[in-house]
Amino acid sequence: MEVVKQQSKISRRLLLFPAPFQGHLNPMLNLATILYHKGFSITIIQIPYNPVNPTHYPHFTFHLLNNSLLESYSKNSPPPDSVTVITDINKTCSEPFRDCLSQILSEAATIDQIQEPIAALIADPLCIFVGSVATSFNLPRIVLRTGSVSALLVYCSLSSLREKGYFPPQGTKLEEPLPEFPPLKLEDLPSETYHDLLETLVRETKTSQGVICNTFEEIEDSSIAKVQQTFPVPIFPIGPLHKQCPASAISISPQDQTSIAWLTTQAPKSVLYVSFGTVASMSKTEFLELAWGLLQSMVPFLWVVRPGLIQGSEANDPLPEGYLEIVAERGYIVKWALQFEVLSHPAVGGFWTHNGWNSTLESICEGVPMLCQPLFSDQFMNARHVSDNWRVGLKLEKGIKREEIARAIRKLMLEEEGAQMRSRVTDLKEKADLGLKEGGSSYKSLKKLISYLLSF
Ligand code: UDX
């Protein structure tokens, strides 16, 4: 991992507390690298579940919470689902977090406070105990919103949407538009199972002293403006974070180094990259339709089949017998790939994705149009914006059959409709790049954030 050099030191320390899931760790560690580069010293507090290896970040200080339950989850195979993990984090980490913070603050008081005072804590609002603990220490707390701002806006309105009778969505109503949040449809709303957690996340966010968002104004301007009106605290849209630091190569899974070598044997923009993120899963039937659809499309593909992708199966070889022989050189299957590197490869012409927010942003930032197959939570809302708002992707419906999959892949990769999406996503990529340059929207927002952090 490349070590980013710190610009002139500004003698203030930041404490960062990520939620331990890849889609949350990546943006938090990218933010840490950006702020380190701006001169802050960085301390990362980790939960003992999926902890990042501190030796990859020799320029940061690390603390690990004491929590044997979560430590044991890291060793479970298969690991518990992410909702169980976050529920248990919120049940069991408050006291260990308080102890850890108390130790850090008392050490700082004796050793560093004069030379390097702690400016603030930046935390993931999924960990809903952080606010009250930070308040009890009088520690300023900023949150990092790792998902989209438009989804946050929907979470803020869940109770009024419930009052209007949208939950549970009924039968044919599912495909109807949601007038409060165009272009969303009723079927895109998060299921009631998640409402408690999402509403507490909103409270944790609203009661902070500021919200850093991994997004940029050019794709979410109206949602950012509305959140800014709704929230009593400043909002800092400074994304896309991963484009601002060379050290985005964070992974809690073993890296596969061969994908890039395979991609270099392929023609420009010819390959469909297929990956459904780090937590979502699908049934064996869906997986097999997907496999045959890929084959029937005749389009070259790089496919990440992560352990745990297929519900109830840890099988090493979930593909039908003889599949790999039929695919031959046209397809390449790995357990994990360094996604942002894959997406930036010239051979990649499309991304079949679950539309986790990081994947969506990474695809936009490389000008890669998407085939959208959301599987849970905010992914449905992200996919709707990709297909109906920015019009840089095609949305696949659930329960889709192999023939339709093959048709959709060919449309995205080979036909005029796909070419138009590629041209629109290239425009968005350019806007993202401009936003990060001096005078751009995210550049200015980052400057404001730094002044704000120095004001505590
Ligand atoms: C989870 C939730 O599912 C999603 O709804 C929410 O928006 C974020 O958290 P996740 O599955 O982790 O999403 O997807 P995503 O947000 O796309 O993040 C995955 C990260 O892992 C990306 O940064 C991606 O580059 C990285 N990744 C994923 C790889 O590097 N290699 C892979 O093979 C897969």
Side-chain angles (χ1 to χ4, degrees):
M1 172 137 332
E2 181 169 351
V3 175
V4 181
K5 289 206 179 59
Q6 199 177 27
Q7 277 178 0
S8 55
K9 216 160 148 39
I10 49 182
S11 301
R12 302 298 293 275
R13 180 166 289 277
L14 293 167
L15 310 181
L16 272 67
F17 186 49
F21 308 102
Q22 186 88 56
H24 292 248
L25 280 166
N26 285 8
M28 186 66 93
L29 287 161
N30 287 334
L31 176 67
T33 305
I34 293 165
L35 293 172
Y36 173 81
H37 187 60
K38 295 291 175 193
F40 288 95
S41 298
I42 301 290
T43 294
I44 311 263
I45 304 172
Q46 300 211 83
I47 288 169
Y49 176 80
N50 281 341
V52 290
N53 184 343
T55 61
H56 291 166
Y57 296 91
H59 45 307
F60 298 163
T61 304
F62 282 86
H63 288 262
L64 192 64
L65 298 191
N66 267 326
N67 189 313
S68 49
L69 175 69
L70 290 156
E71 213 170 314
S72 72
Y73 282 175
S74 267
K75 294 170 198 148
N76 284 8
S77 182
D81 66 88
S82 52
V83 175
T84 305
V85 176
I86 192 61
T87 307
D88 285 342
I89 287 174
N90 284 325
K91 272 192 204 148
T92 64
C93 281
S94 175
E95 280 318 303
F97 181 69
R98 179 183 294 283
D99 294 345
C100 183
L101 212 50
S102 163
Q103 185 205 332
I104 294 172
L105 293 173
S106 60
E107 277 171 18
T110 52
I111 307 164
D112 297 328
Q113 194 60 20
I114 299 160
Q115 291 151 344
E116 194 181 64
I118 292 168
L121 167 71
I122 303 179
D124 193 305
L126 260 187
C127 304
I128 56 178
F129 51 87
V130 175
S132 59
V133 176
T135 306
S136 71
F137 288 107
N138 269 330
L139 185 62
R141 176 181 57 97
I142 312 286
V143 307
L144 171 63
R145 165 81 191 141
T146 55
S148 73
V149 170
S150 52
L152 179 64
L153 208 52
V154 172
Y155 300 162
C156 292
S157 307
L158 286 176
S159 69
S160 73
L161 294 174
R162 274 197 305 273
E163 276 162 25
K164 288 180 185 169
Y166 288 130
F167 295 102
Q170 309 277 324
T172 52
K173 276 170 91 186
L174 278 173
E175 298 205 343
E176 282 179 21
L178 183 67
E180 291 82 354
F181 293 101
L184 298 189
K185 296 186 177 179
L186 259 68
E187 62 187 358
D188 302 326
L189 287 172
S191 103
E192 278 176 287
T193 328
Y194 301 112
H195 286 199
D196 278 350
L197 179 63
L198 296 174
E199 288 179 315
T200 346
L201 176 149
V202 168
R203 272 198 296 282
E204 186 75 8
T205 309
K206 271 192 176 165
T207 54
S208 71
Q209 270 124 304
V211 187
I212 303 170
C213 302
N214 188 17
T215 188
F216 57 104
E217 275 184 7
E218 288 70 10
I219 51 168
E220 291 211 283
D221 55 346
S222 66
S223 299
I224 292 168
K226 282 185 197 140
V227 165
Q228 186 65 87
Q229 282 159 16
T230 319
F231 277 48
V233 294
I235 310 291
F236 302 98
I238 63 166
L241 294 168
H242 74 284
K243 290 301 277 184
Q244 299 170 65
C245 47
S248 321
I250 304 147
S251 179
I252 45 184
S253 304
Q255 295 295 334
D256 178 282
Q257 306 294 346
T258 58
S259 310
I260 299 294
W262 180 80
L263 281 174
T264 42
T265 65
Q266 304 297 311
K269 304 223 181 303
S270 66
V271 174
L272 179 71
Y273 168 59
V274 188
S275 175
F276 301 101
T278 63
V279 272
S281 59
M282 57 180 67
S283 69
K284 177 98 187 197
T285 316
E286 285 170 319
F287 176 83
L288 290 177
E289 286 304 309
L290 194 153
W292 290 120
L294 271 172
L295 194 66
Q296 285 184 15
S297 75
M298 301 302 287
V299 164
F301 62 86
L302 168 63
W303 183 11
V304 178
V305 180
R306 152 183 68 78
L309 175 66
I310 306 157
Q311 283 149 14
S313 155
E314 276 298 290
N316 282 330
D317 192 9
L319 290 162
E321 217 185 305
Y323 184 86
L324 290 176
E325 286 73 26
I326 310 173
V327 168
E329 287 87 49
R330 194 160 57 71
Y332 195 70
I333 298 175
V334 292
K335 288 196 173 130
W336 186 257
L338 195 48
Q339 183 164 295
F340 74 89
E341 210 169 282
V342 166
L343 286 168
S344 66
H345 195 282
V348 172
F351 181 14
W352 187 356
T353 171
H354 68 314
N355 287 114
W357 183 243
N358 294 287
S359 294
T360 305
L361 269 186
E362 287 161 19
S363 204
I364 288 175
C365 285
E366 302 310 331
V368 176
M370 288 165 257
L371 198 56
C372 308
Q373 190 164 19
L375 295 165
F376 77 100
S377 183
D378 62 330
Q379 297 162 12
F380 292 94
M381 297 186 275
N382 299 338
R384 187 68 64 193
H385 282 284
V386 167
S387 63
D388 294 17
N389 183 7
W390 308 314
R391 300 194 298 133
V392 296
L394 276 177
K395 190 162 173 289
L396 283 174
E397 300 310 327
K398 215 174 165 5
I400 199 159
K401 295 285 175 235
R402 60 191 75 176
E403 294 77 17
E404 293 154 74
I405 291 175
R407 244 194 313 275
I409 294 176
R410 294 183 64 78
K411 198 186 267 184
L412 183 81
M413 299 296 290
L414 305 170
E415 295 175 14
E416 178 55 24
E417 204 175 323
Q420 287 176 8
M421 289 173 191
R422 185 163 299 117
S423 148
R424 284 191 286 267
V425 76
T426 307
D427 284 350
L428 286 188
K429 168 194 162 37
E430 283 162 10
K431 286 180 177 154
D433 290 343
L434 273 178
L436 296 176
K437 293 216 169 93
E438 192 164 351
S441 61
S442 293
Y443 178 94
K444 287 197 273 194
S445 215
L446 179 60
K447 269 186 104 169
K448 281 189 202 150
L449 170 67
I450 290 164
S451 314
Y452 190 59
L453 291 171
L454 290 173
S455 72
F456 290 116

